[in-house]
Amino acid sequence: MTRLAPLLFPLTFLAPALGGYAQTAAMDPSSTPAVDVLYVQQNANILTYDVNPQTAEAMEVGQPLVLNTSTGNIAVVPAPRDHFLNVLWVDGMNREHLWVYATDASVVPQSQPVQKLEVSSVLQFQADPNGKFDYALGHWTNWNGAYVESIRLFAVDSSTGKLTESPHVQASYGPNYYFTAGLFGFNAAGSKLYNTWNVDFDGEASSAYYARTVDPTTGTLGRNVEFFRWDDWLSSDQVLLTNNLIIDLSRPFGAPQPQSINIYPLVNNPKTPLILCNTAMLAGCGTTSGIVVDATGQYLFLSQNSYLNSSNITQVVKIG
């Protein structure tokens, strides 16, 4: 594997404070990538980094994938076992595209996609760890200015990576003026799809996090079951999940840095964090503006901005 442009991060270990709980944070072997890979957006380019699981050193591999867009609206969704890469992007005329790329042995996407889909009003995209189904969040505004949303189902051809959309909508939301839905990934087994229901209006903010069961044969989604809720009218919130942890970054309104990063067990409605990480415990927890978890759930990347690129990662925290 050719290694280029090393990114050397200060590495911090928080796992001992979890009392061994995070030791099972790695994903199931069936969904664990052959390498620990990190895809990073840099303008209209997608860069591939191989992350050393022992040191968290990230090395760029292969050539950047270049997209013909100036909007910067790009979402990268790796398929299970990294055989394919799904890229949702918006062009200069605000048209949405969902392209599927095959990857090589270093998990670098090829320059030309194997499939190009023109999708309308798609805001988010998630890949099932079992490689059988993908889900998209449709989002649009109706004639009256209210939000209307839906969860759309795609079947995946495991040999080609190509997608076929089901005619059956899995869930519908709205019309609503103040609430929006969101997709939030899967558990390691692919048996649950996580999603959110958010309100942000007139200084009030709240997010509820739910799980829907996934039918392993048809991909049909079950009913919503709440497992985590955040209500705080004085701050904003960012939540990430690993196999068994909820990572919650809380930032007071009007403040550029967060108040704290709380790490909870991934159980229904946890009350007490396993770790409360603030500036007193670790400077990075009090100065970061964005967080990202790597593919195996072992490392938490702290960023200077709410988005991650190759130049603004300031610290890596080991949580697994």
Side-chain angles (χ1 to χ4, degrees), residues 78-116:
R81 293 169 291 281
D82 301 314
H83 297 321
F84 302 99
L85 187 71
N86 305 295
V87 180
L88 177 65
W89 62 283
V90 181
D91 65 24
M93 299 182 67
N94 287 324
R95 295 173 301 195
E96 291 111 345
H97 306 268
L98 178 59
W99 289 7
V100 180
Y101 293 84
T103 61
D104 62 19
S106 299
V107 204
V108 176
Q110 304 299 292
S111 60
Q112 296 299 316
V114 298
Q115 184 181 29
K116 296 181 179 180

Side-chain angles (χ1 to χ4, degrees), residues 245-296:
L245 297 174
I246 300 172
I247 303 166
D248 179 25
L249 182 154
S250 177
R251 183 185 302 106
F253 284 129
Q257 284 84 34
Q259 181 178 10
S260 63
I261 298 176
N262 301 323
I263 301 181
Y264 297 89
L266 182 50
V267 297
N268 285 347
N269 300 307
K271 303 300 182 185
T272 304
L274 299 167
I275 284 181
L276 170 59
C277 186
N278 52 27
T279 304
M281 179 178 181
L282 178 66
C285 289
T287 58
T288 188
S289 295
I291 53 177
V292 174
V293 174
D294 80 307
T296 64

Side-chain angles (χ1 to χ4, degrees), residues 137-214:
L137 179 70
H139 175 97
W140 65 97
T141 304
N142 68 7
W143 63 272
N144 206 26
Y147 300 125
V148 181
E149 294 165 306
S150 63
I151 300 179
R152 295 156 59 174
L153 169 65
F154 293 79
V156 182
D157 186 317
S158 61
S159 61
T160 66
K162 293 183 178 181
L163 310 176
T164 303
E165 184 169 4
S166 167
H168 304 294
V169 173
Q170 298 302 298
S172 298
Y173 305 86
N176 197 291
Y177 291 101
Y178 309 117
F179 288 84
T180 57
L183 299 183
F184 214 65
F186 296 82
N187 65 342
S191 59
K192 293 180 181 179
L193 171 67
Y194 299 123
N195 61 105
T196 64
W197 186 237
N198 314 289
V199 59
D200 187 356
F201 171 71
D202 195 26
E204 300 181 356
S206 176
S207 296
Y209 297 83
Y210 300 89
R212 292 181 181 270
T213 58
V214 177

Side-chain angles (χ1 to χ4, degrees), residues 14-31:
L14 289 187
L18 299 179
Y21 194 93
Q23 299 307 310
T24 58
M27 294 184 179
D28 283 351
S30 60
S31 61

Side-chain angles (χ1 to χ4, degrees), residues 47-72:
L47 312 180
T48 305
Y49 288 88
D50 177 16
V51 181
N52 186 306
Q54 280 74 45
T55 67
E57 181 183 4
M59 307 291 284
E60 185 181 352
V61 294
Q63 297 297 315
L65 175 63
V66 181
L67 298 175
N68 184 25
T69 177
S70 59
T71 67

